[in-house]
Amino acid sequence: MKIKAINEPAVNALWAEEVDLFLVSSGYESRARAAAQHQKRNRNSRVKKKIVFAFTEHRDNAVRKKNDKKFKEWGYKSVLCSGSDSRKVENSLLEFLSEHDNKEVSIVVDISSMTRTWYGAIIRVLSMADRKKPVKSTFVYYPAKWSKKADIFAPNEFLGPLPGFASFSLPNKPSSLIIGLGRVPYRALGLRDYLDPQHVLCFYSNPSAGSKYINDIEKANKDLFETLKKEDIYTYNIFDPVASLLKLLSICGGLSRSYRVVLASLGPKIFGLLCFLAAIEIPEISVWRISPASKHLPIDIKPSANPILLEITWST
Amino acid sequence: MKSDNLYETYNARWKDPEEVAKTFVPLVHFIKLAANDHSVLMGPRGCGKTTLLKMLTRRALRTWARSERSERFSEDFKYPDFEAVYIPTDIRWIYETNSIDNLTIFDSPTKKKIQRILSTISVLENVSNTFMCMLEDLDLENGKKEEIETNYCKKIIEVWNMYKTIPSFEDIKTQADIIALETRGKINEQNRTSMRAYLRNYPSSYYSHVLDTPIFCCKLISNLLPREKAPHRWGICFDELELAPTWMREELLTCIRSVDPQFFIKLTWFPILPSAASIPEPGHDFSAIKLWSSSFQEPFKFCDKIASDFIQERLRKQSISLKEILGTSLLASSHKADDGSVYGRGSKVYEIIKKNAKKDESLSHYLRKFDINPDDPVPSSIREKKERQLDQFFRKAKPILLLRNEVLKGRSQARSRKRILLYSGLEVFYGISEGNPRWLIGLLTDLFEKYRPVHKDLRNYQISKRTQSEIIDSASHRFLSLIKTTPIVADNESPSGYFSLGDLVETIAELFRASIYNKHFNLDPIGSIEIGGDISNQKKSIIMRALEKGVFIHVGKTEIDAPAKITGERFRLSFMVCPNYHLPLRNYRSIVITPERIRKATREVLRREKHILGQLILDFEKDEDKSN
């Protein structure tokens, strides 16, 4: 299927219509249940099927146990899967789509605590599906409430293209790396050093979910900024994902003429979502990840007040 | 102004061969590489492997021949006697091709076939580029070039079963892009049956030995050219082979012994020689060209050439040497320049020795051992004795004494790291660059941002020691930041639960530091390591990364010595690390590092109990004495 329409629905419209499938995740972050709580509070909401992808990692964590308990109480079907393995996520979605092949469906996905591997897989499944009827998918993202603990450096462990998002474009043009920056120091620098691209461009959120974020990002990436020209540092509005996506697509489209573009999102997951969507639109783009050590200490992340929504309508 | 990163300023990967030729500074390595034999270029990133391979190509040689550089550097240059075919790659391509191994939906033979298709089309594309350039250059009768191109491309389309299209080089390249696109689409479908059907469309020419495609293409074009114009020998150049899929590496290395004698294989590799029973032997089957320097002064000649070339470009007609701008280094002066005058009465070193000999029994013991008066510590006036004292004491002791004087400043323990001005001077800049062109040009670029001569008379203009040490410090800091970003491996034996290059470098540097800044002066501190014990594959991969990044440098017994394995070999830290830890820029003796010792030392470093490291070193050495 292709992307037919992109929209930013209002938060109060999220549960106004019937939802066929609601996908969430259960991990060690409090914000993992924020969208589900929002749905629960909305008396008019009608959700036919609810699935929680529960991480195999950190199952003994206190916040995780609370999340699991709540999801069970709220009637979610639990699917246990590793954060770095998307097969069960894909299979769950494929099964659902196949059961509803002749019907227009509406899916809500809360990506707030999902790994990029998981929601990347969801995007990939939707883009590869061959259906008679369209799918309306609404992605929900709760930005993290600012916390000092979240900028503790956990060294890089995983580095490489995300499954399904390696473009395999021949090495006949130089690479351009576009990084969505985060607060953790050295992550972006590490990716740049490893990939060794000819050209680097950065995005970071400004306005963001708080001015402290902007300060943290600028501080954490100071070494990287020192090596870049001003015109290669862009900002995007985290609260306006449609405009941000259009900006990203415009830049990628321009760069793709002379470069093989690699996108990597190290900061807010909404930017990660935009990277996947850009890669769907421009198949020559690869999306890479560089992730922290799996044995790093889990840090609870609470949700900020208002979610960001992005609605994508897919059809063949 | 945003200055270029230390690593990016001189990255030849995406430079056209013509651009590479315009700034090429040849050394003996190029002459070895241009010889009629198989070569393996070994060295860390940024040491010039890609530059050297690209210089073999017709496009680069054409530009070189027309430039004034070819006259300036004529003694160090050799034109190859073969036609080079350069097969480029990059980290992204390699990672993405390797990532096919992680696709669980497909079985192993399928994954390998996919990788082979991608590799074959990449070769076909690059071979087309080479032949396009070759035909352009050759003086052939009217219409002959087009005829050769057409006949060549027709055959390629036939053998590789490409879509029937206009038989031209550009269309072969377009076909290659289309195949990559289609293959990507099939991979993303994640459908085993569909993939098998897709792969059946491709004839066996896509799945043959990695050398079959380039050799076939070269022979084909040779047969089409008039006999007197056809190359008699070919050099197939594979860049970044060390990162390629295992099957590709093994195929290329094992075929070296048996490849058609018309063809020479030129490869790049890690700083560790390829080794296995089936792998050919260096010196017999191929020449291993080592592109790093074991000792501090080894790269100076090369650095001089790069520096003077750089200055000439920057300052145009003005004539000044880097030595005049930076001055010489007291910390790291070359042996040739160190004639003993720097230790004379009243000199800084003299005063330091004299002052410390009064309170440090260990120092005065060494002085007496070498027949030097602690109250008047000057070299002897008798020539032979003086040479012995210079060689066995003064030259070794000087950097340690200078650093201890600066860092300890009368305390019993070293101060936390702060900038000291000793890391300045020409020799320091050359030494910490390790002769790595990318690093050196990065440093020179930073320097010249500060160098703004305001007077016409340049002879008296110098960049201050303070400014120089700021630049060195900043470069060292950036290097260490990059080390910290290297991906780690999970390791239950390590105190943190993972094994990281950052922790390993910090632990080793702190061990060296503890040895230098001990309470008592030590003429023979630890300054290198020998890897021992049972190292897991995961730890080996981290150490290999250290070598690939140039963080660890092999210290060979001779200048041409290259290691074939990690364990049992001697390594030092890159001199680029040293300013951050106040370490001398010299090779010192080694200590055996086992996983257990690293674990113990890392624990103390992570706990910030660095004062215990000195005792740990003594314990390690006692254990070694016992086992000896």
Side-chain angles (χ1 to χ4, degrees), chain A residues 166-229:
Chain A
S167 70
F168 304 108
S169 47
L170 295 174
N172 49 20
K173 284 189 288 190
S175 284
S176 172
L177 174 62
I178 300 179
I179 314 177
L181 298 176
R183 299 166 55 193
V184 178
Y186 307 125
R187 193 90 69 219
L189 208 58
L191 179 60
R192 198 271 302 274
D193 180 56
Y194 229 75
L195 201 56
D196 208 9
Q198 196 192 26
H199 172 253
V200 177
L201 197 149
C202 290
F203 273 87
Y204 70 98
S205 54
N206 185 0
S208 185
S211 60
K212 284 182 183 173
Y213 273 112
I214 299 168
N215 292 339
D216 284 352
I217 289 169
E218 288 172 350
K219 188 178 160 193
N221 295 284
K222 183 171 160 292
D223 281 344
L224 179 67
F225 284 162
E226 278 174 8
T227 67
L228 297 177
K229 295 173 195 158

Side-chain angles (χ1 to χ4, degrees), chain A residues 113-146:
Chain A
S113 293
M114 286 193 181
T115 62
R116 287 173 177 85
T117 304
W118 287 1
Y119 67 88
I122 290 169
I123 296 282
R124 191 174 69 248
V125 166
L126 289 169
S127 71
M128 297 299 301
D130 187 13
R131 285 172 53 84
K132 297 183 184 72
K133 297 285 183 181
V135 173
K136 186 175 85 171
S137 59
T138 307
F139 294 88
V140 179
Y141 173 66
Y142 277 85
K145 202 169 173 183
W146 188 87

Side-chain angles (χ1 to χ4, degrees), chain A residues 238-256:
Chain A
I238 196 174
F239 301 106
D240 192 351
V242 173
S244 302
L245 176 61
L246 292 174
K247 195 174 190 177
L248 181 64
L249 278 169
S250 167
I251 288 166
C252 289
L255 285 172
S256 293

Side-chain angles (χ1 to χ4, degrees), chain B residues 429-498:
Chain B
F429 274 83
Y430 282 178
I432 71 159
S433 79
E434 299 278 1
N436 183 309
R438 211 189 281 190
W439 294 5
L440 179 59
I441 291 175
L443 286 167
L444 293 174
T445 305
D446 285 347
L447 262 177
F448 274 76
E449 277 180 16
K450 310 282 183 195
Y451 179 65
R452 296 272 184 267
V454 294
H455 306 290
K456 282 186 183 167
D457 179 4
L458 300 170
R459 281 170 297 174
N460 295 321
Y461 192 88
Q462 269 202 344
I463 296 178
S464 71
K465 300 275 180 219
R466 180 165 299 280
T467 303
Q468 290 181 46
S469 66
E470 272 171 20
I471 292 168
I472 296 278
D473 224 46
S474 170
S476 184
H477 170 77
R478 272 182 289 173
F479 187 59
L480 282 160
S481 299
L482 287 171
I483 289 170
K484 281 187 197 176
T485 68
T486 309
I488 50 100
V489 292
D491 179 32
N492 290 327
E493 291 172 351
S494 297
S496 53
Y498 51 79

